Amino acid sequence: MDRPAELGSFLRTCRARLRPEDVGLVSYGGRRRVPGLRREELAQLAGVSVAYYTRLEQGQSHQASEGVLDALARALRLCPDEQAYLRELARPAQGRRRPAVRHDKVRPGVRRLLAAMADVPAVALGPRFEILAWNRLGHALIAGHLDFASPGRPLDRPNAQRLLFLDPHTRELYPEREEELRRAVSALRVAAGQRPDDAQLAALIGELSMKSTEFSALWSRHAVRNCTFGSKRFHHPLVGELVLDFEMMRTPDGSGQGVLMYTAEEGSPSEAALRLLAAECGPDVRVLEPERP
């Protein structure tokens, strides 16, 4: 990812969503050629010179101080996730090399954790939203049409983002599809900010931009949210409607991996549907063994 260019695009997008009256400014008057704040107005709010802010937005300044970034974040009314993203983009690259292509594996302990959660749909995700492992119920919930063994094959393992935007079966799974797409792209923005030199992640973003007009439109909005919990509605081909809460638990080893789990409210129709789906899976809730070297 070209961080200076991405920084400029992010700042312009955030600037466009604010109006002078939203931030207590008196408009300069006259016909406004672009929506949102002008550069002059944002520079005034942040307490920096117009020339300096213009260089920053044009990718010509690589030494923005923490104070300037804090001032811009306040002026643009950025949420904590957006503030973190701004700092990642503004950080000097310092000649970092692109990491070699690697295919992540989950630790044996994480695999055992997935298998132990027989009544909870659970999926282990990599830092690029690749599906590294799942238990039987997790597989049945989100991708029962795929081979259960597919996460164990690095060259063709499924990717949650790719499925959501490009797979016709997954398209039918989420009746509130627009909300699900916005949430997915916002989370991918967070990942891109955290891993700006990740070639595999950049390739995924490029692929989705080329193949999905929905993705490219949402990506251009620069929405940034670290969606680690919430509620999702499903329309499952076997058990019908479910409303499930989700939690993403990140592993503490810095790998970017996490375990995504779904639960239903006790006594709800969704809990009954989840039990029915578990019965369809059968008693075998094993998780795939690690790939052999």
Side-chain angles (χ1 to χ4, degrees):
M1 180 170 64
D2 184 344
R3 283 191 291 182
E6 191 65 30
L7 174 61
S9 184
F10 179 62
L11 288 172
R12 285 191 295 274
T13 301
C14 294
R15 184 163 57 83
R17 70 190 185 192
L18 292 174
R19 298 174 301 174
E21 53 267 34
D22 295 333
V23 293
L25 285 179
V26 178
S27 176
Y28 274 74
R31 186 174 181 178
R32 303 181 73 87
R33 293 179 298 173
V34 294
L37 294 179
R38 293 169 171 153
R39 287 175 177 168
E40 298 88 349
E41 292 164 335
L42 180 56
Q44 177 186 340
L45 282 171
V48 299
S49 72
V50 176
Y52 176 80
Y53 174 76
T54 300
R55 291 197 302 273
L56 191 64
E57 194 173 280
Q58 292 178 344
Q60 299 173 1
S61 177
H62 306 281
Q63 300 294 330
S65 68
E66 287 295 318
V68 167
L69 296 177
D70 286 342
L72 287 173
R74 288 193 299 270
L76 291 168
R77 299 187 174 183
L78 302 185
C79 71
D81 290 334
E82 291 170 328
Q83 293 177 36
Y85 186 70
L86 174 66
R87 282 175 170 75
E88 290 289 347
L89 295 180
R91 182 179 300 167
Q94 297 179 343
R96 291 189 297 179
R97 296 180 180 178
R98 283 178 174 258
V101 173
R102 53 186 295 239
H103 303 291
D104 294 279
K105 300 179 182 179
V106 292
R107 298 194 308 272
V110 174
R111 291 182 179 276
R112 290 193 293 270
L113 176 65
L114 295 181
M117 293 188 290
D119 299 324
V120 176
V123 181
L125 295 174
R128 308 166 196 92
F129 300 91
E130 65 272 38
I131 296 172
L132 302 175
W134 43 25
N135 61 14
R136 287 287 183 185
L137 194 49
H139 168 250
L141 176 66
I142 68 169
H145 62 291
L146 298 183
D147 180 9
F148 179 71
S150 57
R153 299 191 295 266
L155 296 182
D156 68 341
R157 66 170 39 125
N159 181 285
Q161 293 273 5
R162 188 179 290 113
L163 287 174
L164 183 59
F165 284 95
L166 304 181
D167 180 71
H169 292 84
T170 307
R171 174 179 290 271
E172 302 300 322
L173 187 61
Y174 300 100
E176 298 173 346
R177 179 171 170 79
E178 290 186 9
E179 179 182 351
E180 186 65 18
L181 296 184
R182 288 195 297 269
R183 181 158 42 201
V185 174
S186 296
L188 188 57
R189 273 283 178 193
V190 173
Q194 294 170 342
R195 306 172 70 90
D197 302 312
D198 190 316
Q200 290 173 278
L201 185 59
L204 173 66
I205 294 168
E207 177 191 359
L208 295 177
S209 298
M210 292 293 293
K211 294 182 178 179
S212 171
T213 55
E214 292 174 309
F215 178 86
S216 58
L218 288 170
W219 187 254
S220 68
R221 297 180 188 177
H222 291 268
V224 181
R225 291 292 187 280
N226 196 11
C227 305
T228 57
F229 64 92
S231 179
K232 294 187 182 184
R233 186 178 300 275
F234 295 85
H235 180 74
H236 197 275
L238 295 180
V239 298
E241 299 293 324
L242 303 95
V243 178
L244 302 177
D245 293 329
F246 70 90
E247 297 282 345
M248 169 65 85
M249 303 295 186
R250 293 291 180 186
T251 58
D253 57 3
S255 66
Q257 295 182 11
V259 177
L260 178 61
M261 298 162 287
Y262 295 94
T263 58
E265 183 180 352
E266 186 176 359
S268 66
S270 295
E271 185 186 43
L274 207 54
R275 285 199 303 268
L276 178 59
L277 184 60
E280 291 286 338
C281 295
D284 183 6
V285 292
R286 291 178 296 108
V287 180
L288 291 176
E289 295 298 321
E291 308 102 50
R292 299 299 180 185

